[in-house]
Amino acid sequence: MTLRDLLQRDRARRTTLVTGQVTPEAGRCVQCGICTYYCPINIDVRRHAWLGEPVQESHCLTCGECVARCPRGVLHFERIELFQP
Amino acid sequence: MSTRYVIVGQGVAGIAAAEAIRAADAGGHITLLSDDPHGYYSRPGLAYYLTGEISRAHLFPWREAEFTHLRLQRVQGQASVLDPAGHRLLLSNGATLPYDRLLLATGSAALRPTLPGIDLPQVVTLDNLADAERILGLARKAHSAVVVGGGITALEIVEGLREHCRRVHYLLRGERYWGNVLDEAEGRIVLDRLAADGVQVHTHSELAAIEAKRGRVASILTASGKRVPCDLVAMAIGVAPRAELARAAGLQVDRGVLVDEFLRSSAPDIYAAGDVAQVYDVRAGKALLDTLWTAARSHGDAAGQNMAGGSLRYVKPTPLNVTRLAGITTTIIGSVGFGRDADLVGIARGDSELWRQLGQALVAEDEHEVNRLRLLVGPTTLIGAVLMGDQRLSRPLQRLISEQTDITSIRAQLLAPNAPLAALLTRLTEGFR
């Protein structure tokens, strides 16, 4: 992988984080609590997953920790139009 | 007068039923009876509690406010007699709970074989939080542990013990792990990974006796005469629905409480949901058991709606579990295997009998190190899939299989030798989220 590839990948990752919100798929979640446990600002992500609602809290950093940690692929980033022209 | 609802069991089926009842009946009186002193917690989360990945506090998804909001009367106690004619439930402490509608959501319990030493205090199973705490307490002092059984729970215990014990032995009766769900290659990947993690895997090793010294577990003996020194023995040979209450009350019980598509049992105003319920499945043409957490939630939700006057027909969704086997994330969808597994008696936890209803299907496989994809290909649709490692195709496959998407356009390519399965499926499912 070249430096250019690396930078492009990093750019894509940052764009996803800024323009996305964490969205759960309730049918996959078993409420294990790993998402909530690892949230750096203590958002109860698991509650959102139970209700099947996206994490729309303004505090959410979209850091991706819960998405990456979820062992069942319940959470994903969904694009929002907030920053779109 | 408000309707009196009694829910026996405070697992996810009971909780989902309580939510559904309250949504439909604001004035009803809901009693939630539990014989588990810890109330409602995530049973699947116990695996991560054993490995230390989450704290004990994080096992509990609901705060007090959520229970208060639903106005649930929570009672801790043991149901002893169900009286369908009298519409009442008797508790072991002498109390009586009259009901208009009752839900049995008593779950399932781990089976124990009959063999010498099985009642020693260091022989454990994993059903609930108390069991997990007991395992952790024993594991922290143990030098060597033996795990016997199959399915997901056996590996959850192996992985948990691996974090605390110097030596962990895993005994399998045959050559393969979970041979009626995973194929030979998938089973090999799991056992190789366990061995690489330092677990001593003993195939062709049937437990014959647990031996004690001064009242404590000291070793196990296999049928072939092999002795393995240990301080702790964990059994995970399968679970059985906790249907004794229903059976004694004269309800129709097969392996679980038989319920129709509205989750109604054979007795008036009594419903069943979750592991204890044996629900009729249209596709299989018979009533089957599921021990999947998400299925239990769906059962509870449907039963709750119907108890509150609804008429929701429950249709079993395509069974799905995403789990971790020896550290490898694995998705199992649809029908993927058949037959019996020598290490399990009946069903395991996190399991579905639908997985083993595989009829005629061709197999397409793609493997790279621990990443593996196996597709069960029917005449026009995919019937099932097992995906290990890289999970990018997990959601698209779930949709393809559950929605019975026509795959005729790529079927021949999928079945060609050395077909690039992932690439073909990615192209087919590009429009999926």
Side-chain angles (χ1 to χ4, degrees):
Chain A
M1 185 178 279
T2 65
L3 181 62
R4 185 186 168 85
D5 291 337
L6 268 175
L7 290 172
Q8 273 186 348
R9 194 177 67 175
D10 192 50
R11 182 166 179 263
R13 189 177 67 86
R14 285 171 188 279
T15 307
T16 304
L17 296 184
V18 170
T19 61
Q21 65 185 10
V22 174
T23 304
E25 189 180 323
R28 279 182 168 237
C29 178
V30 294
Q31 297 281 290
C32 71
I34 282 187
C35 51
T36 300
Y37 184 64
Y38 285 100
C39 176
I41 56 164
N42 297 322
I43 292 175
D44 191 356
V45 183
R46 166 167 56 183
R47 184 70 186 158
H48 288 79
W50 175 264
L51 298 170
E53 292 173 353
V55 181
Q56 284 178 322
E57 296 184 34
S58 57
H59 305 295
C60 178
L61 308 168
T62 59
C63 66
E65 195 69 21
C66 57
V67 176
R69 295 270 187 178
C70 174
R72 296 173 58 92
V74 172
L75 305 166
H76 65 278
F77 280 108
E78 195 170 69
R79 205 174 168 82
I80 50 175
E81 302 306 317
L82 195 61
F83 298 100
Q84 301 308 304
Chain B
M1 199 175 119
S2 62
T3 306
R4 296 163 302 178
Y5 303 94
V6 170
I7 298 171
V8 189
Q10 212 181 127
V12 67
I15 290 289
E19 263 195 340
I21 292 169
R22 181 56 76 223
D25 183 354
H29 185 268
I30 306 173
T31 303
L32 205 50
L33 174 73
S34 175
D35 59 2
D36 188 329
H38 298 108
Y40 173 50
Y41 51 88
S42 172
R43 166 61 188 78
L46 294 178
Y48 310 113
Y49 177 50
L50 284 181
T51 55
E53 287 165 275
I54 56 170
S55 70
R56 187 183 185 282
H58 280 83
L59 289 170
F60 297 88
W62 281 26
R63 290 163 296 197
E64 202 53 38
E66 272 119 21
F67 290 105
T68 309
H69 178 69
L70 288 181
R71 285 174 284 123
L72 305 177
Q73 185 195 1
R74 282 178 291 163
V75 176
Q76 197 203 317
Q78 181 81 45
S80 58
V81 178
L82 173 58
D83 173 12
H87 273 59
R88 60 194 188 126
L89 180 70
L90 277 57
L91 308 190
S92 58
N93 65 3
T96 299
L97 289 174
Y99 66 83
D100 297 305
R101 313 247 196 290
L102 179 134
L103 177 70
L104 291 167
T106 44
S108 57
L111 294 163
R112 279 177 178 246
T114 307
L115 45 82
I118 195 72
D119 294 324
L120 286 164
Q122 295 80 30
V123 180
V124 296
T125 52
L126 179 59
D127 273 333
N128 49 42
L129 178 52
D131 290 337
E133 293 188 312
R134 191 150 157 258
I135 291 171
L136 284 174
L138 290 167
R140 286 176 185 134
K141 288 181 273 181
H143 293 288
S144 173
V146 167
V147 181
V148 178
I152 294 170
T153 305
L155 290 198
E156 287 177 348
I157 299 173
V158 166
E159 288 171 45
L161 290 174
R162 191 71 199 90
E163 296 295 322
H164 306 282
C165 292
R166 203 178 305 156
R167 275 201 195 85
V168 179
H169 301 267
Y170 180 34
L171 263 59
L172 288 163
R173 283 187 171 195
E175 183 73 32
R176 285 171 57 179
Y177 165 70
W178 214 6
N180 59 359
V181 171
L182 303 184
D183 73 2
E184 201 173 337
E186 289 151 1
R188 175 181 43 77
I189 290 171
V190 171
L191 294 184
D192 285 353
R193 174 58 77 91
L194 286 180
D197 286 346
V199 176
Q200 315 252 327
V201 178
H202 304 256
T203 54
H204 302 292
S205 298
E206 181 180 346
L207 180 66
I210 302 164
E211 301 173 312
K213 264 187 197 159
R214 291 186 291 276
R216 297 183 64 85
V217 166
S219 57
I220 61 98
L221 192 66
T222 69
S224 61
K226 184 162 60 176
R227 181 168 279 116
V228 180
C230 59
D231 321 287
L232 166 62
V233 177
M235 306 292 306
I237 62 164
V239 296
R242 295 177 67 200
E244 302 80 14
L245 193 66
R247 198 174 272 121
L251 273 63
Q252 281 186 16
V253 177
D254 177 25
R255 285 161 297 146
V257 179
L258 288 168
V259 293
D260 65 11
E261 57 218 306
F262 299 97
L263 284 306
R264 293 179 302 204
S265 76
S266 58
D269 301 317
I270 299 178
Y271 297 70
D275 288 8
V276 78
Q278 192 174 337
V279 187
Y280 185 77
D281 181 67
V282 182
R283 279 168 298 180
K286 54 187 167 185
L288 296 171
L289 293 172
D290 277 298
T291 50
L292 297 168
W293 199 89
T294 48
R297 182 180 179 184
S298 305
H299 289 177
D301 181 57
Q305 291 188 50
N306 292 337
M307 289 165 76
S311 54
L312 188 75
R313 198 180 292 269
Y314 174 78
V315 179
K316 273 187 193 240
T318 303
L320 163 89
N321 203 350
V322 187
T323 187
R324 203 169 56 182
L325 303 175
I328 305 165
T329 304
T330 303
T331 297
I332 305 168
I333 318 169
S335 297
V336 294
F338 55 87
R340 286 194 64 242
D341 178 2
D343 294 302
L344 287 167
V345 181
I347 194 165
R349 219 178 265 290
D351 196 345
S352 171
E353 289 185 339
L354 266 176
W355 286 345
R356 286 179 287 281
Q357 303 295 315
L358 185 61
Q360 290 294 313
L362 295 168
V363 178
E365 299 167 320
D366 198 351
E367 185 173 338
H368 179 67
E369 294 176 354
V370 298
N371 295 321
R372 189 168 196 281
L373 169 60
R374 173 164 59 103
L375 300 175
L376 287 309
V377 185
T380 57
T381 59
L382 291 180
I383 294 166
V386 175
L387 180 66
M388 301 182 83
D390 189 327
Q391 293 294 301
R392 273 174 290 190
L393 281 170
S394 178
R395 282 165 196 277
L397 277 170
Q398 184 186 0
R399 272 189 67 175
L400 277 176
I401 297 166
S402 61
E403 294 174 8
Q404 300 190 6
T405 307
D406 191 314
I407 52 132
T408 314
S409 62
I410 60 164
R411 187 174 183 277
Q413 290 168 279
L414 287 175
L415 292 170
N418 304 317
L421 300 186
L424 288 166
L425 291 171
T426 302
R427 271 205 297 280
L428 184 70
T429 59
E430 257 165 2
F432 293 6
R433 190 177 67 195

